[in-house]
Amino acid sequence: MILLQNILLDDRRTNIFIEGERIRRISPSPIPVPPGTEIIDGSHQAVIPGFINMHTHAAMILLRGIHEDLCLYDWLERIWKIEAKVDREFIYHATRAACLEMLKGGTTTFNDQYWFAPESRRAALEMGLRPRIAFVFLDSHNAEMAARQRKAFEALYERSKGWEGEPGLCVGIHSVYTVSEENILWANRFALEHGLKVHMHLAETPLEDRDCRKAHDGLSPTAYFDRLGVLGPHVIAAHCLCLSDDDVEILGKRGVHCVHNINSNAKLSSGYHFRYNELRDAGANVCLGTDGAASSNSLDLLETMKTTALFQKAWRNDPREMPLGELMDCATVNGARALGLESGVIREGALADLSLVDLDNTYFLSPGSFLANLIYAAHSDVISSVIVGGRLVMRNRHVPHEEEILEGARNVIREIEAL
Ligand SMILES: [Zn+2]
């Protein structure tokens, strides 16, 4: 049990009592608490919902900065050569390091798509985060590989029934250009039959759009997936950058969760005209992600929010675009909605996935908007403590076993250095 005492929430001082994994009570009047409750003095702090990073390849943190200044396909070709050599041990230690970094940035949940899903999940749970981990279908249109992946996924799904806690397993359809139609249909059917989310890359580059139209009767990637009957509210689609008006309408009508990854898209020059207003108005749920740290270099959602807003205001030539409240929703509650979690909001009964923000610094001196100061001025080192499911997993910027996590990652990176 935790009591956050006299803490700033939405510009007002209040008290928040956390019992078990949920927020039990919020009240500006003193809350009587049972003995054994940990009391945190919030008089110099604010509380915000934990960030939800809706598109990551967490273990790529150890491939950060390895190939710079390349466009997506050249970059992918080089990264895939390295990835062919990574093993379970690498994924486990790399994901632990990524979780350490995400916690320090106030992220409590991440939606991952990478190799060796069980190792990523184990690392994330040990670090105290709430992960969603996709098994990746990527068969390069090779029938033998496709069959092997289906078998491997079925076995993993069976194993996941015995996992302790929420399995958090998702179906990853890498993209239209890397997965055969047969596997796309199989994976989607499996997801629907078993109530799993589908996590895919969609409409990331103009080249993907061109190639898809050439291969599939002039259909865009969005229209192609729609023709296959794949798109629906169980789908989390990363990027959604190269969209026609028809594509926007389809994504909205199907209730797809669209994840914007501005830092990765801008850095790889894939594009930056993300159609936030149109997708929102059409009925799609827009969330934010960082993508892997090998392409965007950062797993920092505070930075992502700032870049997102700057690009939206700049390319639309209108400073009213992407207002602060909507920006914050994209990084929190919209992700929770996509994953079916009762988090991303601070209210009684919701999951206690929260971050505390240290207000004792220059960023918050002005009487201006707290969210503006947080997103446009502060950096993620103002995140002082993080609570996930009612557990304090970072306290005053201290995460248990930090040295050991760094050492584990250094050991596996030596293998990559030798490549
Ligand atoms: Zn990605």
Side-chain angles (χ1 to χ4, degrees):
M1 292 168 293
I2 300 172
L3 178 69
L4 306 175
Q5 206 166 44
N6 193 28
I7 200 158
L8 194 69
L9 168 64
D10 299 334
D11 299 324
R12 272 194 219 125
R13 291 272 159 200
T14 195
N15 303 293
I16 298 175
F17 178 55
I18 296 163
E19 190 182 24
E21 59 171 8
R22 291 181 186 266
I23 298 169
R24 201 53 64 196
R25 227 183 126 196
I26 303 176
S27 168
S29 318
I31 300 175
V33 291
T37 301
E38 173 161 5
I39 296 175
I40 296 177
D41 174 19
S43 49
H44 295 272
Q45 303 193 78
V47 61
I48 56 171
F51 296 137
I52 301 184
N53 191 343
M54 283 299 291
H55 181 61
T56 56
H57 313 284
M60 290 183 100
I61 188 171
L62 299 188
L63 309 184
R64 168 184 275 162
I66 282 183
H67 291 303
E68 290 294 323
D69 307 327
L70 294 173
C71 47
L72 179 68
Y73 289 89
D74 294 335
W75 179 83
L76 272 177
E77 209 174 288
R78 293 175 197 213
I79 287 290
W80 282 341
K81 271 189 200 148
I82 300 175
E83 285 184 337
K85 310 264 164 81
V86 304
D87 58 13
R88 289 172 196 281
E89 190 77 345
F90 179 93
I91 298 295
Y92 170 73
H93 289 286
T95 306
R96 291 223 305 171
C99 289
L100 174 63
E101 189 168 307
M102 286 194 271
L103 282 178
K104 296 222 163 182
T107 293
T108 51
T109 293
F110 67 106
N111 185 40
D112 207 59
Q113 193 196 95
Y114 211 51
W115 311 113
F116 303 110
E119 275 64 34
S120 308
R121 177 181 180 271
R122 181 162 66 94
L125 290 179
E126 280 177 15
M127 294 293 296
L129 277 90
R130 196 184 292 284
R132 289 293 179 270
I133 309 281
F135 172 95
V136 190
F137 283 89
L138 193 163
D139 58 33
S140 306
H141 304 273
N142 173 316
E144 210 177 295
M145 199 190 282
R148 232 185 3 252
Q149 289 188 344
R150 289 198 293 273
K151 240 180 155 172
F153 181 64
E154 276 179 322
L156 179 66
Y157 179 72
E158 281 309 308
R159 255 175 70 200
S160 76
K161 290 179 184 167
W163 290 346
E164 225 174 275
E166 296 173 291
L169 186 65
C170 303
V171 174
I173 296 176
H174 182 269
S175 65
V176 65
Y177 56 95
T178 49
V179 193
S180 58
E181 189 165 299
E182 187 192 2
N183 249 7
I184 291 172
L185 289 170
W186 187 93
N188 185 59
R189 202 176 320 121
F190 194 99
L192 286 172
E193 276 169 18
H194 297 88
L196 304 178
K197 307 285 178 201
V198 166
H199 182 183
M200 61 166 68
H201 292 97
L202 179 69
E204 184 174 0
T205 63
L207 187 62
E208 174 189 332
D209 188 80
R210 244 189 341 260
D211 288 350
C212 182
R213 285 176 193 275
K214 230 186 272 172
H216 303 291
D217 315 318
L219 295 176
S220 69
T222 303
Y224 169 66
F225 273 115
D226 196 46
R227 187 178 70 179
L228 296 184
V230 168
L231 300 180
H234 65 299
V235 172
I236 297 158
H239 303 302
C240 301
L241 200 57
C242 301
L243 302 178
S244 66
D245 291 345
D246 289 346
D247 292 337
V248 169
E249 201 187 316
I250 291 170
L251 292 169
K253 213 158 55 191
R254 303 284 179 235
V256 170
H257 310 281
C258 302
V259 188
H260 183 32
N261 303 270
I262 185 63
N263 286 345
S264 171
N265 297 152
K267 190 157 177 287
L268 291 165
S269 296
S270 300
Y272 54 86
H273 295 88
F274 180 75
R275 303 181 69 186
Y276 170 70
N277 292 358
E278 292 81 354
L279 283 165
R280 175 201 59 197
D281 295 346
N285 176 38
V286 177
C287 317
L288 297 183
T290 59
D291 212 344
S295 63
S296 74
N297 297 51
S298 167
L299 299 174
D300 189 328
L301 271 179
L302 205 48
E303 180 191 86
T304 301
M305 277 195 273
K306 179 173 177 174
T307 323
T308 298
L310 296 186
F311 271 93
Q312 286 297 313
K313 290 172 192 300
W315 85 257
R316 290 181 185 272
N317 199 23
D318 188 343
R320 292 167 300 183
E321 296 299 341
M322 192 47 100
L324 286 161
E326 288 183 40
L327 186 57
M328 191 65 178
D329 285 351
C330 288
T332 55
V333 70
N334 293 3
R337 192 175 307 138
L339 298 174
L341 287 169
E342 285 179 275
S343 64
V345 283
I346 302 182
R347 61 166 158 71
E348 291 177 357
L351 287 169
D353 290 4
L354 310 168
S355 293
L356 308 192
V357 178
D358 178 16
L359 301 176
D360 233 353
N361 48 59
T362 52
Y363 305 122
F364 299 101
L365 284 175
S366 88
S369 149
F370 165 75
L371 276 186
N373 292 344
L374 175 70
I375 296 167
Y376 291 127
H379 306 285
S380 58
D381 57 4
V382 298
I383 306 288
S384 50
S385 299
V386 175
I387 297 169
V388 184
R391 278 184 53 217
L392 250 176
V393 289
M394 182 173 85
R395 186 193 294 263
N396 300 323
R397 294 203 65 71
H398 175 75
V399 175
H401 315 299
E402 191 165 332
E403 266 313 308
E404 183 199 314
I405 294 160
L406 295 177
E407 202 39 43
R410 284 189 194 109
N411 286 338
V412 293
I413 198 73
R414 284 188 196 113
E415 298 165 23
I416 291 294
E417 276 175 336
L419 300 173

